[in-house]
């Protein structure tokens, strides 16, 4: 600003730096909230994998696949908890960075406040001295013009000398005031140069801080995205373990395993032999040794019929069985 005592530009810079600090705080809070979500989600996954049964009655290869599935879900939960801890650490780093910048900037602000105060005091003092000189100058000139008139019209010499002494005193006071004004201007110029020098240094420092802040936030955001991507890659690796275990799952092996585990024998029941209890003269077919037969579904047994010359078994001793 063209006004020497104005701090409009400086105040604008400080406001921008405070806004940047607020933005860092918002990102820090975002990381903390994301950490809470990740931790809660991880704990829920772990509780789910430990407490909720999933195929506990399965056998052999499919059971192994389900065990791997639950274990990897547990690992995914652990990964989310670790990610939550990582996010908290990143939030703490952001907080430390923000507070470090605040402390460094506070030192510069104190210096600038002191030099602003010194500049304003000196400027006010200079303007007061200048005003005094401006008041003395017309008074002295009026006195000089008055002396000529008095010299022509005063009835007594003593009055003339009184006016002359006052004129000399006024001139001396004017010269002292002028010297004081010159000294004040010189001092103010030195203060102005010092203030301008410190102001430039402060602006350079603030610019460096702002560059560091933008770079830090950019890198922090990039790192955060990489962490999320890494978490997804690690989760995909865990899911790949589940897919590999499912590739090893064999339907034939599981069926054979169940059969071998639960089998009760290797022979089918022997065929049922018909025996005639109504004709004791008939030769009964001797029992044969059981022979292994292939397991198959049997159809309905045929209805017994009488051989030629034999009595009808449907009626015995006049009683009908039908």
């Amino acid at each position: 600003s063209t006004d020497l005592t104005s701090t409009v530009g400086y105040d604008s810079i400080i406001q921008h730096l405070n806004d940047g600090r607020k933005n860092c705080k918002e990102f820090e809070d975002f990381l903390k909230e994301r950490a809470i979500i990740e931790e809660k989600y991880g704990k829920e996954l772990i509780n789910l994998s430990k407490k909720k049964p999933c195929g506990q009655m399965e056998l052999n290869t499919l059971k192994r696949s389900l065990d791997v599935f639950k274990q990897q879900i547990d690992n995914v939960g652990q990964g989310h908890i670790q990610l939550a801890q990582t996010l908290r650490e990143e939030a703490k780093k952001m907080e430390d960075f923000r507070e470090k910048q605040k402390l460094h900037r506070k030192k510069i602000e104190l210096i600038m406040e002191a030099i602003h105060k010194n500049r304003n005091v000196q400027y006010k003092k200079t303007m007061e001295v200048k005003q005094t000189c401006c008041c003395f100058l017309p008074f002295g000139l009026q006195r000089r013009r008055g002396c000529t008139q008095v010299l022509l019209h005063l009835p007594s010499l003593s009055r003339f000398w009184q006016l002359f002494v006052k004129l000399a005193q006024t001139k001396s006071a004017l010269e002292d005031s002028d010297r004081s004004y010159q000294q004040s201007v010189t001092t103010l110029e030195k203060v102005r140069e010092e203030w301008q020098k410190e102001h430039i240094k402060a602006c350079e420092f603030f610019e460096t801080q702002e560059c560091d802040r933008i770079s830090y936030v950019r890198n922090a955001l990039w790192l955060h995205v990489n962490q999320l991507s890494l978490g997804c890659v690690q989760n995909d690796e865990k899911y790949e373990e589940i897919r590999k275990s499912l590739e090893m799952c064999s339907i034939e092996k599981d069926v054979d395993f169940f059969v071998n585990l639960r089998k009760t024998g290797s022979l089918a029941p022997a065929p049922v032999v018909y025996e005639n209890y109504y004709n004791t003269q008939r030769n009964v077919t001797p029992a044969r040794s059981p022979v292994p037969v292939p397991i198959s579904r049997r159809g309905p047994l045929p209805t017994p019929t009488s051989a030629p010359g034999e009595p009808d078994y449907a009626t015995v001793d006049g009683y009908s069985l039908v």
Side-chain angles (χ1 to χ4, degrees), residues 34-66:
R34 179 63 188 269
I36 294 174
I37 295 173
E38 291 291 339
E39 183 177 32
K40 182 179 179 181
Y41 180 58
K43 289 182 177 179
E44 291 293 336
L45 286 180
I46 293 174
N47 291 334
L48 177 65
S49 65
K50 290 183 178 179
K51 297 180 179 180
K52 190 68 175 179
C54 182
Q56 60 183 354
M57 304 304 295
E58 283 293 343
L59 303 172
N60 206 31
T61 60
L62 182 55
K63 178 175 177 58
R64 288 197 295 269
S65 295
L66 290 172

Side-chain angles (χ1 to χ4, degrees), residues 97 111 202:
F97 172 79
I111 295 174

Side-chain angles (χ1 to χ4, degrees), residues 59 68 77 107 113 133 159 163 174 177 184 187 276 281 317:
L59 303 172
V68 172
K107 297 177 182 178
E113 288 177 4
C133 291
R159 180 61 178 168
L163 293 176
L174 179 62
S177 179
S184 295
T187 304
N276 187 349
Q281 301 298 325
D317 294 334

